[in-house]
Amino acid sequence: MSSYSNTARLTEARRVAIFGGTHGNEMSGVTLVNLWMKNSDEIQRKGVEAKPFITNPKAVEKCTRYVDTDLNRAFTPENLSAPGGDELPYEVQRAQEINKVFGPKGSPEAYDVIFDLHNTTSNMGCTLILESSKDHFNLQMMNYIKKAIAPASCLVLLNEHPLLKYSTSRSVAKHPVGLEVGPQPQGVLRSNIFEAMRVILKHALDFIELFNEGMEFPSCSVEVFRVSERIDYPRDANGNIIAMVHPNLQDCDWEPLNPGDPMFQTFDGKTIHYQGSGTVYPTFINEAAYYEKQQAFVTTRRETLVASAIGKA
């Protein structure tokens, strides 16, 4: 990245992948990618090679999140370099294959952008997931998408927490973009969620085309929700869940949770209140896939990032 006249000069984004089926029961991405693998006209843009790709075909076939282990946590340096071939868990083998085709992760040969399409059972609406606050290309893209779909809402979740960040399938790319749309039950296709995902991807690809053609994007501010803490369900001494998300919190993703607000309700009707030090914005509330990860929701803090002006080098 070079900079003159305060504009960051970035290389063109020529190679773009669209991943569906990283989790095999999140049906919007699976269905869209399968559609585009048959006919990719909708996702092609001038000067961009857009490749739709099913990341976890065995999980898609079984309509389950994963077969052996969560593919969206599998892209660690240890896994990507692990010997063992067929002896390795299926998703680790798959991570190595994906890294060969779309990476190698962290190298100049890696794909420019990977969009990873996900659904959530939580009431999150449309959420773009950003992995680095320093990725000005992605910040500019997200600003473009937010403006393009207004007055509809699309929020930005920033996860660069050193302990809570995980090794995603999209992290192979130079510019990884997660797209999380809900609420939608696992294994189910809802038309409104499907269309919302499709529209966001359309605007994202439009942005890439405009950038590659030489459009300059001035500096802008982007509101993000920074991942702060993972909150588990209350449990007994044996690790069994003893309370549920409180009705006042259920489906209230992105709404302020203040100290003293109801957070959980025990099975015998008692309320457990939030004891944090200040207002947070919870999300992934009561996500079905996160029971196994011992997570009831994550807390976030709202902040504004400034994206540099960008143009192509």
Side-chain angles (χ1 to χ4, degrees), residues 189-250:
L189 200 54
R190 288 185 54 171
S191 55
N192 59 323
I193 303 293
F194 176 89
E195 285 304 332
M197 183 175 277
R198 192 177 203 164
V199 165
I200 285 172
L201 213 65
K202 173 215 168 320
H203 292 304
L205 292 166
D206 288 350
F207 168 85
I208 294 171
E209 181 178 46
L210 291 168
F211 173 80
N212 286 350
E213 287 185 335
M215 182 179 278
E216 306 257 322
F217 294 88
S219 177
C220 64
S221 299
V222 184
E223 183 184 71
V224 303
F225 291 82
R226 182 186 287 273
V227 171
S228 175
E229 191 183 2
R230 183 168 59 203
I231 306 288
D232 189 14
Y233 297 91
R235 295 173 187 271
D236 66 16
N238 297 320
N240 300 308
I241 289 174
I242 55 168
M244 306 162 280
V245 170
H246 193 278
N248 290 19
L249 179 58
Q250 180 63 49

Side-chain angles (χ1 to χ4, degrees), residues 281-300:
Y281 297 85
T283 195
F284 281 113
I285 297 171
N286 208 6
E287 162 61 54
Y290 290 170
Y291 277 74
E292 70 171 28
K293 300 191 191 301
Q294 301 187 331
Q295 179 181 306
F297 58 90
V298 295
T299 64
T300 70

